Structures are given as structure tokens and as C-alpha cells.
Amino acid sequence: MKRLAPIEAWFAQQGWRPLPFQRQSWRAHLRGESGLIQVPTGSGKTYAAVMGPIATMLAEAGVAERGSGRGLSPGIRLVVLTPLRALSRDLALALQQPIEAMGWPIRVGIRHGDTPSSERTRQLRTPPQILITTPESLALLISNAKAPELFGQLQAVVLDEWHELMGSKRGSQSELCLGWLRALRSELRTWALSATIGNLEEAAQVAVGVGAVPTLITAPLRRGTAIRSLLPEAIDGFPWAGHLGLRMYEELVAALDPAISTLLFTNTRNQAERWHQCLRYACPELEGALALHHSAIDRGEREAIEAGVKAGQLRWVVATSSLDLGVDFQPVERVVQIGSAKNLARLLQRAGRSAHTPGGTAQVLFMPTNALELLEVSAMRRGLAKGLVETRRPPGLPLDVLLQHLVSLACGPGFVPERELPVVRRCWSYRQLSDADWAWCLRFLEEGGECLGAYPRYRKLQRAALTPDGRLDRDATPAPGQPFAYVVRETAIARLHRLHIGTITADRAVTVRFVRGGVLGHVEEAFIGRLKPGDVFFFAGRQLEFVRLRQMTAQVKATTRKSSTVPAWAGGQLALSDLLSRQLRQEVHRCAEGDLDSPELRALEPLLRRQADLSRLPRAEELLVEVCSSREGSHLFAYPFEGRFVHEGLGFLWAWRLARHRPSTITVSVNDYGFELLAPKGYPFAELLELHGDALLDQQQLEADLEQAVNLSELCRRRFRAIAQISGLVHNGLPGQTRGGGQVQGGQLQISAALLFDVFQKHEPGHRLLEQARREVIEQQLELPRLAAALQRLAESRWVLETPRRPGPLAFPLLVERLNSRLSNESLLERVQRLVREAQRAEGLG
């Protein structure tokens, strides 16, 4: 094709040959097709997606194989949507390279929350031809009255790291924005990119929308992933979460090489802070070459760290998911995963940060934080060898996101309800939107629904007349029966809405700033609330002394006083994916069969032997249940190996069903491998299992029993808080807004959401957002579909009841989980060490 000549010329100038899948993608785009491109990380999928749209632009500008052509008028032709701000800089650099080398008349712009206001204004005045942005910033642009002119020349949208967006409400937000853009530009093409997703066909369909036929482009390219585990010298029979952790820092330091550029991934920001602190003290010679990167650190510092890695100045960086995705770090040669990644796709993404070139082999060093994680990494290695990867499912009918989108449209170009409904229904997440749901949304936004009509702030939409030729007259009120569009006329409502566009909800953040100096980042209000002036904590790689809190800014100063206190952020623990759970059960089966065919399993042999001596190791078709007694009471331990969230539901369900037959107070403790039920001494667990074991796995009354077993109302109340934020019912207030002489506190947000929850429950129990909160708790938090599948599998399994003298290696971590949530004047470490000593004495080992 002639239009591809400039693209081929640039590749030739680089000494490259386009890969077959890249040429296939370019030609598919030029034929007007949309779809999904899936190839391994580092294989060149970005150029596969963007060079087709660039070829179209160059043809419009009259650019042949060489030469500058006649130029392009300002106007966005290509939008690249990315989930991370850090990715936008990398994408811009990748696009600027051919544009500058070949002198193409194309301008690239970046727009997200960190873009200066002067640059945003310039982009609206003279839009770039390529805009790299996030879902939130795209929605904000659509809320502008000039959005139709701004996107009037749009030809294509590229969805980078689509798997990361699709499984969340940010994906639903992206779908709605894409639906509006397609209605504006009927020839719009959409290309999604992903390296790690299991349900390709569904992901492609979600990207292109209902009714379109997606093109799937894959390539037989394989990137090797070499995983090596750091194995502890000795493994005792009393594992617990974190018990290896920092104890193994010497082994980790010995395994690393300062000459090898390395990313060290943790699962939480708290872990990242602790490990950075540990490595900083263990390797003072790396001062200036060791850094910490996570999303709570100030943007300027994060960008400096990323630049330092690319320049080869920083050798080791401790990071979280803030560096998971497609950021291109060519110098990085090795990745360290501290603790189990809990998910094959997550490990693949992180592994892909090393050897980020076609055909490269990713090097991963796994550092366990507890002995049983060695089972998980062995299962991961086997799963990756089979080419397995998790699926991502889009949310089903999130009305809070739809309400936000409709207000955005009303703030901007306005919308005609009869025209907008089919546009929304072509979005995959809203394909089953009923007429009743649509009418409820409109009434809720226009009148405040049944409960809130008396409050002007909730009557957001007004009707504006349409002229005979279909144009919108924002200030004219339509006569009865006259065609109309919905708009937002109140400036205050529009301003407040635009400030809170987005689907990411979090607790109130407090800025951390030097008394005389710059911003370090942000921590949660609850953490700062526990500090007194003079307290020392570790954050952003620095030892800091808390001075004072002023208007949601924690003022600090550097100190040489030592402290191990680090901020804790909400977000909780990751749980095993469904796919990895299945692999893990097979791994345990191998151990039970004595097939220790990996280094990790061989290292676990002493622990496995102790478990077999005290109880047994379950086979794949078995459910192991242990019953024993201690000074604390009667214990029941069950090991479905289904992941923390499923076990939470199972544990509370079993506790409630058992208590129906023999009333008692039963405490539940869970981890990824199983759950513990603790009842008073003498509670007849074994007898009840014999009599009512089948009833514990009954699915007939599953949802009703689960509602009784857990405090579903309280869970729904918490979930409603986030839904209320997204839908615009509650907000944090305007920047700098104060009340009563002080900054508006995050707690007031919670009170407002809780008050609305109670009002709706009392006066409008069928409120759609209450129903959504319940559905999200049942399906996402309690994972009802996965819980039901687990009950079915367990019902078909052979139950094995063991009565060990004391808790064994599989049970011990569950004891520690319960201890960790109990208030005591003993530290967790002291309590665990006491338990270990007692167990050793009982076995004659101490």
C-alpha cells in the first residue's frame, strides 16, 4: 500500500524490518477495521497500533515516502488511552522518535491530571494531532461544550494495556466515552492492546462495542520467563505470613549485583517502603543508585526516578504496581518479585519490565516472604509454561459510572435522551440496560429521584430546547411536547462535577511536605491522625519527623533518628486468582504423591513431612478438614485452596450454618489456603460434620445464608460510599474549601454517604444505587459465582477428617492471621514466637 511507504521508510532508516503482525495491523486499520492486538510485552505492539493511523494522517498531509508534504491542520486524529500517567511519557517518546526523525508534520500532546493548566488551554486552542490521555482526562474533555469540534476530525482510538482498564469501572468509563465518540464519528476505528489476557474474544468485543465485528491479531512470538527462587537455608514447620520476609535480606543482597539494573516489586506500598529502608541500611554504598517508586510519592520525584532508570544512573528500584505496565526500561536486566504475585498475569507484566525487547528472556528472582509461597511460585512456573493467563471481566451495568457520564455530557455538548440510549446500549457493559433503568437515571439526575428532589444540588439536569434544525439552545426552555436535550446550567454544579470526574475512589489523602521545601507525596489521613509532633516515620525513602498538620498538609523535617514506622495505605491483601488456585491445588497434589520435581518443592520437604506426620497432605480430589483442641478452644481447619476472598465467604457461611445446629460464638480466620473456625472448648465440630457435613455445602439457599452469615448491610454501606462518590451524590469539596475555620475532613464524606444510605433504605428501598452496592458486594467482594463453584467442587470431593494433636504447618498461618487482628500488649512477633515455643515443647523439640 502506498500509504505505508513513509512508515516502511522510517523502519528501514532504523535498520528494522516490520514484523508480520505489525504489517497485518497497519493494513487492517487502513481497511477500516477495529480489533485487538495481543503479542508479548516488548514485541512492538505500540508501533503496530499507531502506525496505521499515522499513515492515514500522512496521506492527508500529502507526505510521500520522503518529504514534508503540505502539513496538517490542528485537530485530534488519534487518541491513545492509557491507564497510567507514567505510560503516557513513554508513549510520547516512542511516537516522537519517528516524527522527529522523518520530519512528519504531526504534533503529539499529553493530557492527564498532572498536565499544567497552561498546556491544557493550549491544547484546547490548537489541538495536537495525537493526544495521549487517561480515561479521566478524556471524560473531562467530553464535558467541554466544544467537545464536538475538538473531536470532529478523530479517526482512531488506541486502548493501551486494555486488560488493565477492562476489568474495572475505568473500563466502563472508557466504553461510554468511546460510545459517544463513535456516535460523533461513525468511521472511528478502535484498537486495543494487551500482552496478558485470557479471554481474547470477549476483550476485543468490549473494546469495539456491541454490533461491531472485531479483528484479532496475534503473533507466534514467545518471550521466555526464567524464574529462580531464593531458597531459605532452613524451613521450620511453623510458617506464617512475613516470617521469612526481611529475615532473608542478606540472601537477597548477596543474590543481587549492583552492576545489574534491577526492579524489585512488592505487592503493597507499605512493603515497598520497608524493603527500601532495609536495602538502604544494608547497602550504604548504593546511596544515590537505590530508589523507591510508588503512586503515593510526588509526581516530580517519580518522573526523576523513571528517567534515572532509563539513563542507567539508578541500579535498584523498589516499586509497586506503579511500574507494572508497559513502561519501557531498556537497561533493566532483572526483576525481583518479593512475595507471591498471586496472579499469573501480574507476574508476566512485571517480568516483562526486564529484557524489554523482542525475543528477550525475562529474568525473575523470587524472594518468598513465607515458606508456603514457594508452593505458589512452583505453581506459577508450571502455569506459565502451559501458556495460562487470567481472564478479565468487565463490570455489569455500573449505573454510578453512567450517571457520572450523563452529567459530563450535560455539562458539555448536552444530550438528547432518545438518541443517547442506543449509544449507551452499544457499550458492552450496558448492553442489557433496560428502559426502566434508563428512565430512573434520567429522573434521578433531573428531579433528584424520590428522596432528594427538595435539594437543588441533586437536580443537576435541565431541559433545553432544540431548534427546528436540531441545534441546541442552552438557555431556551422547551415547550411541552417540543424536542429537548439535557444540559447543566448551574455553573457551580458543572464546576464541582468536573473536579470529581473519575472512578478511582480512595480515603482522604494528606500531603507530606517539608516545613521549608517541596512536596514528598501523600499518605492517608488516618495514619497522620495517629502521629504526635516529634514522632518519626519512614516515607518516600527518607527518615522524617512529624512537625504539625496544617490544612491537610503534614509538615515534616528530615531527621537522623531511626524509626521502623511506615505509612499503611488502604487496599488490603491480594488474593490468589482463580486460575492460580487451580494450579496450586495440583501442586499440593504432587506433594502428596511425593513428586517433588521443582527446587521449591524440594526445599519445602521438611515442612511437608511435618504436615504429613501430624495430619496429611490433601490430593486434588480431597478436602482436608482438621479438628483439634487447644487452650483457646476447639479448632476446625479446612483447606479448599481457593483464595482469601472465597475462604472468607466459606468461613462465615460454615460458621453460621454450624451455629444453627449448635449455637455458639465462632471466630473466623482466613488466608489463601484455607480457613479456621474457633469455638469454645468442647464444641463438637467432628460430630456436627458427621451429621450435617452435606448441609455445609448446600447451594440452594446460598445467597440467603450468606446474607445472614456476614454483616451484609455494613458491607453494602461501605461499598455505597464509593458508588456515591462516582455518581456525584457526595464529594470531598472544592480544593482549599474550609468549614468552621478548618479544612473539610474526609470523615464528613463518610457521614454524608452513610446518611444517604439510611435515607434511601428507609424511603426508597428499591433505589438502583442500593441495589448496585448489594450486587457488587455479593459478586465482587464475596465473589459469589466463584464461591458457588467452590462449593460444587467440594461437594464432589472426598472429605478427609483428621484429628491432629496440635495445629500443623498448614494451620499455623491461620492462627497467626487471627492473632494479628487481636489487640494485645504483646507484639505479633512475640506472640508468634511464644506459639512456636509451645509447639516445639509439645513435640519435644524445645
Side-chain angles (χ1 to χ4, degrees):
M1 291 184 178
K2 276 187 178 181
R3 284 180 289 178
L4 291 175
I7 311 300
E8 298 274 4
W10 177 70
F11 269 75
Q13 186 187 82
Q14 302 300 304
W16 301 343
R17 287 176 59 88
L19 295 171
F21 85 90
Q22 291 175 319
R23 285 200 173 103
Q24 183 185 357
S25 304
W26 303 340
R27 290 167 180 161
H29 174 85
L30 294 178
R31 289 194 299 268
E33 297 171 17
S34 296
L36 183 144
I37 302 169
Q38 184 183 44
V39 292
T41 296
S43 299
K45 59 181 176 294
T46 299
Y47 286 138
V50 301
M51 287 305 187
I54 286 177
T56 302
M57 291 182 231
L58 296 177
E60 180 186 341
V63 175
E65 183 174 337
R66 305 246 177 228
S68 59
R70 60 179 174 270
L72 271 175
S73 62
I76 301 171
R77 270 67 165 192
L78 169 63
V79 166
V80 181
L81 209 61
T82 175
L84 286 183
R85 297 174 186 180
L87 287 178
S88 61
R89 294 187 294 276
D90 258 35
L91 289 166
L93 289 172
L95 296 179
Q96 289 287 9
Q97 187 180 353
I99 289 170
E100 292 175 1
M102 304 299 286
W104 293 338
I106 296 173
R107 188 160 60 87
V108 179
I110 296 176
R111 189 184 182 100
H112 50 56
D114 293 332
T115 304
S117 58
S118 58
E119 173 63 16
R120 298 185 195 193
T121 303
R122 190 168 76 93
Q123 289 173 357
L124 290 174
R125 192 167 51 247
T126 54
Q129 286 80 23
I130 300 177
L131 181 67
I132 302 170
T133 189
T134 59
E136 295 78 17
S137 291
L138 178 59
L140 187 59
L141 285 172
I142 288 175
S143 75
N144 190 300
K146 295 183 178 179
E149 293 80 23
L150 186 65
F151 295 104
Q153 302 178 72
L154 187 64
Q155 298 164 353
V157 176
V158 170
L159 306 169
D160 195 31
E161 306 289 355
W162 178 231
H163 60 276
E164 187 67 22
L165 287 174
M166 189 184 82
S168 70
K169 288 183 179 180
R170 297 182 82 202
S172 305
Q173 182 182 41
S174 304
E175 286 184 66
L176 289 167
C177 291
L178 280 168
W180 184 84
L181 291 171
R182 290 183 186 122
L184 178 71
R185 300 282 295 162
S186 60
E187 300 300 314
L188 185 71
R189 283 152 281 182
T190 308
W191 286 97
L193 307 181
S194 178
T196 51
I197 198 163
N199 49 331
L200 272 182
E201 290 80 7
E202 183 181 14
Q205 193 64 66
V206 175
V208 302
V210 176
V213 179
T215 298
L216 279 175
I217 295 178
T218 59
L221 303 174
R222 294 294 298 269
R223 290 191 76 235
T225 302
I227 303 174
R228 179 171 75 86
S229 295
L230 274 182
L231 303 176
E233 290 183 7
I235 292 179
D236 60 36
F238 308 102
W240 51 282
H243 82 285
L244 291 178
L246 295 174
R247 268 175 39 195
M248 286 186 64
Y249 80 90
E250 290 181 346
E251 287 92 332
L252 177 59
V253 170
L256 298 178
D257 184 343
I260 295 178
S261 181
T262 303
L263 293 181
L264 299 97
F265 281 107
T266 68
N267 290 339
T268 67
R269 290 175 281 190
N270 182 282
Q271 273 186 319
E273 291 275 356
R274 290 187 183 279
W275 273 98
H276 178 262
Q277 183 182 32
C278 176
L279 293 174
R280 186 181 173 201
Y281 291 145
C283 307
E285 70 277 8
L286 275 174
E287 189 70 33
L290 170 68
L292 171 66
H293 190 291
H294 59 68
S295 58
I297 292 174
D298 183 64
R299 172 181 61 91
E301 186 157 345
R302 293 199 311 269
E303 291 178 355
I305 291 167
E306 292 159 20
V309 175
K310 293 177 183 179
Q313 298 162 350
L314 291 173
R315 309 309 296 161
W316 298 355
V317 178
V318 183
T320 61
S321 55
S322 59
L323 290 182
D324 263 8
L325 301 177
V327 182
D328 186 4
F329 292 129
Q330 292 286 352
V332 172
E333 299 172 66
R334 176 188 278 175
V335 163
V336 174
Q337 172 63 43
I338 297 175
S340 169
K342 301 293 182 184
N343 182 297
L344 291 169
R346 185 178 296 113
L347 184 65
L348 266 181
Q349 283 289 343
R350 292 177 172 181
R353 298 313 104 220
S354 71
H356 198 85
T357 54
T361 297
Q363 300 291 328
V364 179
L365 179 65
F366 174 69
M367 219 292 301
T369 60
N370 75 76
L372 292 175
E373 285 182 337
L374 293 172
L375 277 172
E376 295 180 43
V377 76
S378 186
M380 283 185 187
R381 184 188 290 112
R382 233 179 284 270
L384 292 177
K386 297 176 185 175
L388 301 178
V389 68
E390 284 84 4
T391 61
R392 298 287 183 98
R393 303 289 180 196
L397 209 63
L399 292 183
D400 53 346
V401 184
L402 177 58
L403 291 169
Q404 184 186 108
H405 175 71
L406 293 177
V407 177
S408 295
L409 293 183
C411 289
F415 69 93
V416 178
E418 296 79 11
R419 297 178 198 163
E420 197 62 31
L421 176 58
V423 172
V424 171
R425 282 179 174 159
R426 282 195 287 273
C427 301
W428 184 261
S429 293
Y430 298 94
R431 65 194 184 281
Q432 295 177 335
L433 180 69
S434 67
D435 289 344
D437 284 339
W438 177 252
W440 181 89
C441 289
L442 296 180
R443 184 185 173 202
F444 182 70
L445 293 175
E446 184 179 12
E447 303 174 10
E450 293 180 19
C451 300
L452 303 177
Y455 304 95
R457 61 171 288 195
Y458 296 113
R459 300 196 302 270
K460 298 181 179 181
L461 304 189
Q462 291 83 39
R463 300 187 181 197
L466 294 174
T467 61
D469 59 356
R471 289 183 299 107
L472 173 66
D473 186 348
R474 293 188 83 92
D475 298 320
T477 301
Q482 182 183 356
F484 69 90
Y486 280 116
V487 298
V488 171
R489 290 199 184 102
E490 293 290 334
T491 304
I493 289 177
R495 182 185 177 212
L496 196 60
H497 175 78
R498 291 189 178 108
L499 282 170
H500 294 92
I501 283 177
T503 62
I504 300 173
T505 59
D507 285 343
R508 183 78 171 200
V510 173
T511 300
V512 179
R513 178 192 291 273
F514 283 118
V515 175
R516 295 180 179 86
V519 172
L520 288 170
H522 63 270
V523 299
E524 290 186 358
E525 184 181 10
F527 172 75
I528 290 295
R530 293 193 296 267
L531 298 181
K532 302 185 299 293
D535 284 353
V536 175
F537 65 101
F538 195 85
F539 173 63
R542 296 171 174 85
Q543 210 72 42
L544 304 171
E545 179 183 328
F546 176 61
V547 177
R548 66 180 72 89
L549 179 65
R550 288 278 177 83
Q551 294 191 338
M552 299 305 287
T553 296
Q555 296 182 350
V556 299
K557 61 183 180 181
T559 181
T560 55
R561 292 163 53 206
K562 300 293 190 290
S563 171
S564 60
T565 301
V566 299
W569 288 268
Q573 295 161 299
L574 300 175
L576 282 176
S577 70
D578 188 22
L579 182 62
L580 186 54
S581 295
R582 292 198 295 272
Q583 292 298 116
L584 183 62
R585 290 194 292 272
Q586 291 299 320
E587 213 65 20
V588 176
H589 178 84
R590 285 189 180 84
C591 295
E593 296 288 323
D595 184 13
L596 308 182
D597 61 346
S598 73
E600 293 82 12
L601 300 187
R602 288 191 288 273
L604 280 172
E605 187 174 9
L607 183 148
L608 300 172
R609 193 184 312 118
R610 174 167 291 184
Q611 174 66 27
D613 289 343
L614 281 172
S615 174
R616 68 183 286 142
L617 286 163
R619 269 69 175 175
E621 71 282 358
E622 295 176 341
L623 169 63
L624 173 62
V625 179
E626 297 173 345
V627 174
C628 65
S629 298
S630 73
R631 291 188 310 176
E632 295 182 289
S634 297
H635 303 262
L636 180 150
F637 300 98
Y639 307 102
F641 294 93
E642 287 282 1
R644 173 179 295 273
F645 297 151
V646 173
H647 292 157
E648 191 169 44
L650 277 175
F652 282 107
L653 183 69
W654 279 30
W656 187 80
R657 286 177 171 177
L658 287 169
R660 276 194 307 183
H661 299 289
R662 185 68 64 91
S664 182
T665 299
I666 300 177
T667 303
V668 180
S669 170
V670 306
N671 65 14
D672 277 318
Y673 311 125
F675 59 90
E676 176 205 25
L677 305 183
L678 173 64
K681 285 185 179 181
Y683 192 79
F685 277 125
E687 178 186 331
L688 291 172
L689 289 176
E690 182 71 27
L691 293 173
H692 308 291
D694 290 343
L696 294 180
L697 302 176
D698 180 47
Q699 295 186 58
Q700 296 301 314
Q701 299 294 320
L702 176 56
E703 189 167 336
D705 284 359
L706 199 59
E707 183 170 348
Q708 295 291 326
V710 300
N711 190 345
L712 192 66
S713 178
E714 182 57 31
L715 295 178
C716 290
R717 185 185 298 273
R718 293 177 193 170
R719 182 59 66 114
F720 179 78
R721 181 186 178 193
I723 290 172
Q725 282 183 261
I726 294 169
S727 62
L729 278 172
V730 298
H731 56 81
N732 278 326
L734 298 176
Q737 180 180 347
T738 61
R739 182 176 300 159
Q743 185 86 13
V744 173
Q745 298 295 302
Q748 292 172 359
L749 169 73
Q750 189 167 359
I751 292 170
S752 299
L755 181 62
L756 288 171
F757 183 87
D758 292 336
V759 168
F760 293 150
Q761 273 207 320
K762 184 176 181 180
H763 300 289
E764 192 182 349
H767 196 284
R768 298 298 203 277
L769 297 185
L770 290 184
E771 293 175 357
Q772 182 182 334
R774 176 188 169 85
R775 187 173 70 248
E776 288 184 9
V777 166
I778 291 289
E779 294 178 2
Q780 298 173 26
Q781 189 168 342
L782 298 177
E783 296 197 82
L784 185 66
R786 191 173 161 190
L787 177 57
L791 285 173
Q792 182 62 39
R793 182 183 68 81
L794 296 177
E796 296 168 358
S797 299
R798 184 168 66 88
W799 284 47
V800 180
L801 179 62
E802 295 286 340
T803 55
R805 301 183 305 279
R806 68 192 61 85
L810 290 181
F812 196 81
L814 288 164
L815 296 178
V816 178
E817 286 280 348
R818 179 162 42 78
L819 286 176
N820 198 21
S821 62
R822 180 186 298 172
L823 293 176
S824 171
N825 57 4
E826 274 185 301
S827 72
L828 177 64
L829 181 59
E830 289 170 337
R831 282 176 279 166
V832 171
Q833 288 173 339
R834 176 168 50 78
L835 278 179
V836 171
R837 287 194 299 269
E838 290 172 359
Q840 288 174 337
R841 279 198 301 272
E843 294 186 18
L845 299 175

